[in-house]
Amino acid sequence: MLVEKQVPLQPYNSFGIAARAERLARIGHPSDLLGLMAQPEWGHSPHFVLGGGSNLVITRDVAGLVLKVEIPGRCLVEESGRGWLVEAGAGENWHDFVAWTLDQGWPGLENLALIPGTVGAAPVQNIGAYGVELQDRFHSLDAIDLDSGRAFTLDAAQCGFGYRDSVFKHAPSDHRGMGLAGRALITRVRFWLPRPWKPVLGYLDLERKMAETGILAPDARQIFDWVVAIRRVKLPDPALIGNAGSFFKNPTVTPEQCADIIARDPRVVHYPMPDGTVKLAAGWLIDACGWKGKTLGHAGVYEKQALVLVNRGDAEHPCTGGEVMTLARAIQTSVYERFGIRLEPEPVVL
Ligand code: EPU
């Protein structure tokens, strides 16, 4: 299999950060990986698994071998009166996969339309939007152990899903020794789409669409179209403006902490959670600190949604990962100083 050397990574990360991979191999089939693992140099150099690169900040050239996952394929595994079991290769584009399931007449993923990235990367951060998280539709995934070459399958419980979190984001020592960061390459993912289909419409932006259009019982295709329209208004298209989606997680606080913040600023956007904690809108906190539309170096805060950091560089003056992280730290400091809240970045920082 061909291993390319000194490969520019700019086209492979949605932030559009310029960096190079010392070596890069395209994994189109699990056997490509096993072939690489059989070579003597495998054990001597680090490796990094790259999906769609849409949740990634690259702060340096990447030493060792980048494994670019391009495994294709999508199929119906099983259909019954209870639902559809659908499978996709890890290299499939997430949005195209969602659109394809709807074209086939298998609803359930419509709220997750237009999320950038690949199918294989989706479980890593348990993508979520408009009231649905990947874990709500997840069945199982296949992966390969990067130490032993052994193939294995995980169900939802074994993936340890949390808010924008899974075992794939944790070092081997975390998660009671079950962390799989850097240790596994996801090859295929299966989704369970239950019948009868039930729309998820509780999110404020979707309720607004229902009120505006008067469509009170939308079908899955209608919800898909609404989600695409809402995202296009709020979020920058990575093909035009480099970004990695939401840059920080929405923090959760105790009701007492929330009351304290409300006392300081009654407008704070907050949502009570079923477990008694309160989720705060990080975008609102950042906005309240005056960051919306600001630029530091060649990194900036998107003018329509303060939770998204964007690339304001150009061909002559490219934005570096270091500039993105400098901006991120400045935002964290001002939110901490004003509200006493530590914002946690969402993307993987390399
Ligand atoms: N807000 C502001 N100013 C801003 C941004 C937001 O006041 O600059 C307020 C909004 O008015 C709203 C609240 O904050 O009242 C929440 O904003 P929004 O509904 O846009 O959602 P979000 O919390 O910013 C989360 C996810 C998104 C997901 C949307 C929809 C996280 C970190 N982000 O964003 O996910 O698409 O909800 O479900 O949970 C991603 O993870 O990359 C991502 C885009």
Side-chain angles (χ1 to χ4, degrees), residues 57 126 264 271 348:
V57 183
N126 184 25
R264 275 184 269 169
Y271 316 93
V348 171

Side-chain angles (χ1 to χ4, degrees), residues 248 286 289 291 296 301 309 323-337 343:
F248 298 100
I286 298 166
C289 291
W291 281 103
L296 203 61
V301 181
L309 303 193
E323 286 177 310
V324 174
M325 295 314 294
T326 300
L327 173 60
R329 278 190 284 270
I331 291 171
Q332 282 172 311
T333 303
S334 64
V335 168
Y336 184 70
E337 283 173 358
L343 292 181

Side-chain angles (χ1 to χ4, degrees), residues 6-350:
Q6 294 302 326
V7 181
L9 290 174
Q10 199 163 12
Y12 303 140
N13 74 96
S14 64
F15 232 116
I17 288 166
R20 280 176 184 276
E22 191 183 350
R23 294 181 300 136
L24 181 141
R26 294 167 199 280
I27 310 296
H29 188 273
S31 62
D32 294 337
L33 178 62
L34 299 179
L36 283 171
M37 293 182 75
Q39 293 176 7
E41 56 268 43
W42 174 260
H44 304 297
S45 76
H47 31 257
F48 175 75
V49 180
L50 179 65
S54 61
N55 200 44
L56 180 66
V57 183
I58 308 177
T59 59
R60 55 181 162 80
D61 286 341
V62 184
L65 179 63
V66 170
L67 302 166
K68 185 163 185 305
V69 184
E70 297 184 348
I71 298 169
R74 39 198 196 195
C75 66
L76 179 69
V77 179
E78 194 184 298
E79 179 176 3
S80 74
R82 294 188 305 113
W84 299 273
L85 182 62
V86 187
E87 180 183 272
E92 290 285 331
N93 173 275
W94 172 261
H95 177 73
D96 292 347
F97 171 64
V98 172
W100 175 77
T101 56
L102 290 174
D103 288 345
Q104 306 302 308
W106 310 325
L109 296 175
E110 54 283 349
N111 294 52
L112 301 175
L114 214 62
I115 296 180
T118 55
V119 168
V124 175
Q125 61 148 343
N126 184 25
I127 57 171
Y130 306 102
V132 176
E133 283 187 326
L134 172 121
Q135 65 173 333
D136 303 327
R137 304 285 181 264
F138 179 85
H139 179 274
S140 55
L141 61 77
D142 299 334
I144 296 177
D145 183 314
L146 291 173
D147 292 329
S148 66
R150 194 177 53 89
F152 62 96
T153 297
L154 297 184
D155 63 19
Q158 291 166 314
C159 286
F161 290 126
Y163 168 55
R164 297 294 191 277
D165 198 23
S166 75
V167 286
F168 298 100
K169 276 185 113 172
H170 290 266
S173 54
D174 286 7
H175 264 271
R176 298 175 303 278
M178 304 290 278
L180 287 174
R183 265 179 65 184
L185 183 142
I186 296 169
T187 54
R188 288 195 177 79
V189 188
R190 283 171 294 279
F191 300 88
W192 174 248
L193 310 176
R195 261 168 145 162
W197 170 75
K198 286 197 207 79
V200 178
L201 294 165
Y203 208 89
L204 187 64
D205 286 329
L206 290 173
E207 284 173 357
R208 271 198 204 120
K209 284 282 180 200
M210 287 161 67
E212 272 165 35
T213 59
I215 302 172
L216 300 181
D219 62 10
R221 173 63 63 178
Q222 179 65 75
I223 296 173
F224 174 92
D225 290 343
W226 282 344
V227 169
V228 166
I230 294 164
R231 290 187 73 98
R232 289 220 165 106
V233 169
K234 278 197 175 177
L235 299 167
D237 176 353
L240 306 173
I241 305 172
N243 74 93
S246 297
F247 200 89
F248 298 100
K249 295 183 187 185
N250 284 327
T252 42
V253 296
T254 63
E256 294 73 29
Q257 282 172 299
C258 186
D260 183 48
I261 295 169
I262 291 171
R264 275 184 269 169
D265 199 327
R267 294 162 303 168
V268 63
V269 177
H270 59 286
Y271 316 93
M273 302 300 285
D275 66 359
T277 61
V278 183
K279 189 170 264 192
L280 304 178
W284 186 91
L285 298 172
I286 298 166
D287 198 357
C289 291
W291 281 103
K292 202 185 252 181
K294 289 272 165 66
T295 299
L296 203 61
H298 300 96
V301 181
Y302 191 50
E303 40 291 320
K304 294 184 204 157
Q305 160 60 295
L307 195 48
V308 179
L309 303 193
V310 294
N311 182 336
R312 295 210 204 280
D314 54 34
E316 261 178 67
H317 308 283
C319 173
T320 65
E323 286 177 310
V324 174
M325 295 314 294
T326 300
L327 173 60
R329 278 190 284 270
I331 291 171
Q332 282 172 311
T333 303
S334 64
V335 168
Y336 184 70
E337 283 173 358
R338 169 132 181 219
F339 296 106
I341 303 245
R342 290 186 197 282
L343 292 181
E344 196 188 324
E346 198 191 88
V348 171
V349 180
L350 190 64

